[in-house]
Amino acid sequence: MNSLRIILGDQLSWSISSLDECDKSTDVILMCEVWNEATYVRHHKKKIVFLFSAMRHFSKELLKAGYQVRYSELDDDDNAGSFAGEVGRCLAEQKFDKVVITQPGEFRVLEDVQSWSERFKISVDILPDTRFLCAPEEFASWAESRKQLRMEYFYREMRQRYNILMNGRDPVGGQWNYDADNRKPPKNGLDIPTTYKSEFDIITKTVSELVAKKFADHFGDIHPFHFAVTREQALIALHQFIEQRLLHFGDYQDAMLMGEPWMYHAHIGFYLNCGLLLPLECVQAAEQAYHDGRAPLNAVEGFIRQIIGWREYIRGIYWLKMPDYAQQNFFEADRALPSFYWTGETEMNCLKNCVTETRQNAYAHHIQRLMVLGNFALIAGLSPKEVNEWFLIVYADAYEWAELPNVSGMVLFADGGYLASKPYAAGGSYINKMSNYCKSCAYNVTKKNGSEACPFNYLYWDFLARNREKLASNHRIGMMYRTYDRMDEEKKQAITADSHRFLATLAL
Ligand code: DLZ
Ligand code: SF4
């Protein structure tokens, strides 16, 4: 009995289930760089370099460990350009009894894999992805009895289940969640450690030349490139975060500073989401730092919640709600994505900075994504399809299972409140409080109306007014309608007129 075992680009883990019971003497592992995956959405150049380099390194390590590996490079003459094409080519050349693959992370790829058995007349074993801490079926049964899902309750169960930051049945410190301590505005003179910088080795160099040539018209800069591309490097990146930045991770979690794209964040989503790191090892490293007195509880709890709470929760929602989730558009928003999401050419300094950093790094931290890039998309009524595609393209940690619920659910409220309890809409004063963007902006954040006023200020009220029917019954937003209703007619008209004038310029 010999098997063809497929390892996809986001399955670069030694513990991946498709390697279980692998017979090194008879089985072949197939890894392939394919044109379809890099172009079904036109991924950021740095993201492609990162994944191809990590895949090539992983295949070399597998070979070294004695596995038989068949690796297709993108520019191999006979590369068929798709997963199915490469599997078919392999099966035509060599006889196998079955194909084995761990469940792909994206619905689109799973549907493809599910057609292989019939297409290639071979048995295909699709194994569960055991790297996640909550299986889709477990999440579905948790969600079954609930009308509205809330991450906080799911998270508490995960803490108990995996015995993380627990004192018996109680949370360490007496509280489950310390987010109230995690909203400090940035202050001047912070000494922010730099992010991990890997060596630009020959494999990454070769891949970067390939990507520069083949994907020249894709968004994003390749250089400087300093992501980890091996597990060993990813572990160093993780420990560098734990030692140097976790201390302030909580305090400045929501803060944004010009020229400081990495802040005190972990930047390990790239590695977690492609398999170089595993969730529990990250969580346990942070928990240990707390117990050793090297990091405070608010930081450690916040970090752990992102991984065992939020990350697992959004994946659960993805598998529960796909494929319908991708079609959601609660506000019926249909405005095209403005060109400045690609060029960064806008007078709005916050957006300009966030887009520029995204282009340079294939990364922006969560408040930049949620409260600047996302908040604008929400209040300007941009099309969820276009916004989702943009987020999937530009971030090196983005796969649809993570991106879609975050963007459609959290950022755009396109699911009507299934995932989040209220839309994360905000005016300029939030951005001003949490960043130093407004000090050097062409717009005036304290002005509410007129051509000099910060567009976030009037777009925020216009968004609420436009969507009143859909939102008025949401008790978390009700107070804002009462404030709106107290405004005089002249003020309300100014909001509408400014918004119309501004939104019209986006299409130019
Ligand atoms: C994102 C990506 C890209 C750009 N290229 C490849 C590739 O050439 N080969 C591959 O195996 N995986 C790639 N990936 C990651 C896949 O898109 C990912 O495995 C699926 O979307 C399933 O989550
Ligand atoms: Fe952004 Fe408004 Fe501040 Fe300018 S003034 S940086 S547009 S929030």
Side-chain angles (χ1 to χ4, degrees):
M1 190 86 171
N2 69 340
S3 311
L4 177 64
R5 296 173 182 271
I6 322 286
I7 294 190
L8 302 175
D10 57 353
Q11 299 182 337
L12 310 180
S13 315
W14 289 97
S15 59
I16 193 81
S17 55
S18 52
L19 288 181
D20 290 349
E21 295 170 29
C22 177
D23 184 335
K24 289 179 180 171
S25 64
T26 56
D27 295 355
V28 172
I29 294 165
L30 173 67
M31 296 180 69
C32 43
E33 296 167 7
V34 288
W35 185 257
N36 266 13
E37 283 307 297
T39 57
Y40 81 93
V41 295
R42 293 150 55 87
H43 291 292
H44 192 300
K45 290 204 264 305
K46 201 187 294 279
K47 180 179 191 178
I48 307 177
V49 173
F50 164 60
L51 266 189
F52 284 8
S53 178
M55 285 171 67
R56 289 187 186 195
H57 279 94
F58 191 68
S59 76
K60 292 221 160 11
E61 290 172 14
L62 287 170
L63 272 174
K64 223 168 140 191
Y67 290 96
Q68 296 183 50
V69 183
R70 180 178 159 134
Y71 190 94
S72 316
E73 296 190 351
L74 186 87
D75 53 355
D76 287 349
D77 284 343
D78 36 11
N79 188 319
S82 66
F83 289 142
E86 282 301 275
V87 170
R89 196 159 70 89
C90 205
L91 293 175
E93 286 171 21
Q94 197 176 337
K95 175 102 189 66
F96 288 97
D97 296 306
K98 63 172 178 177
V99 171
V100 178
I101 186 167
T102 295
Q103 175 170 335
E106 299 193 346
F107 187 85
R108 151 193 83 81
V109 184
L110 177 64
E111 274 196 316
D112 181 31
V113 171
Q114 282 167 336
S115 73
W116 292 355
S117 176
E118 175 124 352
R119 181 163 169 192
F120 301 121
K121 306 285 177 258
I122 191 166
S123 123
V124 178
D125 286 359
I126 305 176
L127 305 176
D129 192 340
T130 51
R131 298 172 303 169
F132 288 91
L133 303 175
C134 180
E137 311 77 63
E138 291 168 336
F139 187 85
S141 73
W142 176 81
E144 207 172 36
S145 54
R146 293 168 162 84
K147 196 162 148 259
Q148 237 189 1
L149 306 186
R150 286 295 163 257
M151 194 280 293
E152 187 62 31
Y153 299 110
F154 170 77
Y155 163 60
R156 292 178 190 180
E157 290 188 22
M158 294 295 284
R159 286 264 297 271
Q160 289 170 325
R161 177 171 165 189
Y162 286 93
N163 193 24
I164 291 161
L165 287 180
M166 296 300 296
N167 252 337
R169 297 296 295 164
D170 301 321
V172 164
Q175 268 171 246
W176 289 100
N177 183 319
Y178 291 87
D179 244 6
D181 300 338
N182 288 350
R183 295 184 189 125
K184 290 200 176 59
K187 57 178 188 205
N188 286 332
L190 285 177
D191 187 12
I192 302 167
T194 182
T195 184
Y196 170 77
K197 291 199 164 58
S198 70
E199 179 206 347
F200 192 69
D201 68 10
I202 183 69
I203 294 182
T204 309
K205 182 168 182 288
T206 309
V207 165
S208 68
E209 285 161 8
L210 174 78
V211 171
K213 198 165 100 200
K214 298 278 185 188
F215 305 103
D217 55 352
H218 284 212
F219 173 77
D221 301 344
I222 294 177
H223 301 285
F225 184 95
H226 43 63
F227 291 162
V229 288
T230 65
R231 171 159 170 80
E232 197 186 345
Q233 292 174 347
L235 280 169
I236 299 174
L238 168 67
H239 287 289
Q240 199 166 307
F241 162 68
I242 301 280
E243 297 311 321
Q244 301 179 358
R245 296 197 304 281
L246 179 59
L247 185 69
H248 290 306
F249 168 82
D251 294 347
Y252 299 113
Q253 193 174 265
D254 291 359
M256 302 174 277
L257 278 175
M258 284 202 288
E260 297 287 358
W262 310 102
M263 292 298 291
Y264 292 97
H265 291 273
H267 335 129
I268 58 161
F270 314 124
Y271 315 129
L272 264 176
N273 291 356
C274 77
L276 293 178
L277 292 177
L278 298 172
L280 269 189
E281 67 190 351
C282 301
V283 164
Q284 283 158 354
E287 188 178 13
Q288 193 58 48
Y290 168 69
H291 289 308
D292 295 347
R294 287 178 287 135
L297 190 53
N298 66 310
V300 171
E301 186 281 315
F303 174 73
I304 286 176
R305 178 159 23 90
Q306 297 312 314
I307 297 180
I308 66 168
W310 188 250
R311 184 170 185 270
E312 297 287 334
Y313 174 75
I314 51 137
R315 176 178 182 259
I317 289 187
Y318 179 76
W319 286 110
L320 191 63
K321 291 290 168 189
M322 279 301 279
D324 297 347
Y325 207 80
Q327 308 307 324
Q328 306 261 29
N329 189 356
F330 180 65
F331 294 125
E332 296 164 71
D334 61 359
R335 192 174 304 285
L337 191 82
S339 59
F340 66 71
Y341 273 78
W342 303 109
T343 62
E345 284 166 22
T346 164
E347 300 281 351
M348 290 176 281
N349 195 39
C350 51
L351 281 157
K352 186 195 192 84
N353 268 271
C354 292
V355 171
T356 304
E357 290 178 0
T358 298
R359 186 172 59 225
Q360 287 166 347
N361 304 320
Y363 174 82
H365 68 69
H366 85 117
I367 286 296
Q368 293 177 305
R369 296 189 204 192
L370 178 66
M371 297 309 294
V372 178
L373 296 154
N375 180 24
F376 183 84
L378 170 71
I379 63 181
L382 305 188
S383 143
K385 272 236 167 326
E386 294 195 28
V387 178
N388 272 290
E389 182 170 310
W390 184 84
F391 273 93
L392 187 57
I393 285 175
V394 303
Y395 294 118
D397 48 26
Y399 301 86
E400 195 188 58
W401 68 264
E403 174 278 318
L404 180 66
N406 266 308
V407 172
S408 269
M410 178 84 170
V411 169
L412 298 178
F413 207 73
D415 64 1
Y418 185 69
L419 182 148
S421 53
K422 70 170 176 80
Y424 275 78
S429 63
Y430 175 85
I431 296 173
N432 189 34
K433 181 171 147 219
M434 297 313 296
S435 78
N436 61 1
Y437 293 140
C438 303
K439 290 196 181 86
S440 34
C441 184
Y443 293 105
N444 185 338
V445 73
T446 61
K447 283 208 158 161
K448 306 294 178 211
N449 285 102
S451 60
E452 288 168 27
C454 166
F456 281 86
N457 289 343
Y458 45 78
L459 287 177
Y460 170 78
W461 290 112
D462 190 55
F463 162 76
L464 288 184
R466 270 193 334 261
N467 294 298
R468 184 166 198 141
E469 253 179 53
K470 293 185 165 136
L471 288 176
S473 62
N474 182 315
H475 70 278
R476 293 196 65 191
I477 216 118
M479 201 178 76
M480 301 319 295
Y481 282 106
R482 288 192 286 283
T483 307
Y484 179 79
D485 290 341
R486 282 196 298 271
M487 292 177 190
D488 58 38
E489 265 324 296
E490 204 181 327
K491 167 99 184 144
K492 287 180 189 164
Q493 276 167 17
I495 287 168
T496 313
D498 282 335
S499 299
H500 281 176
R501 172 188 49 76
F502 176 83
L503 291 171
T505 66
L506 295 181
L508 299 178

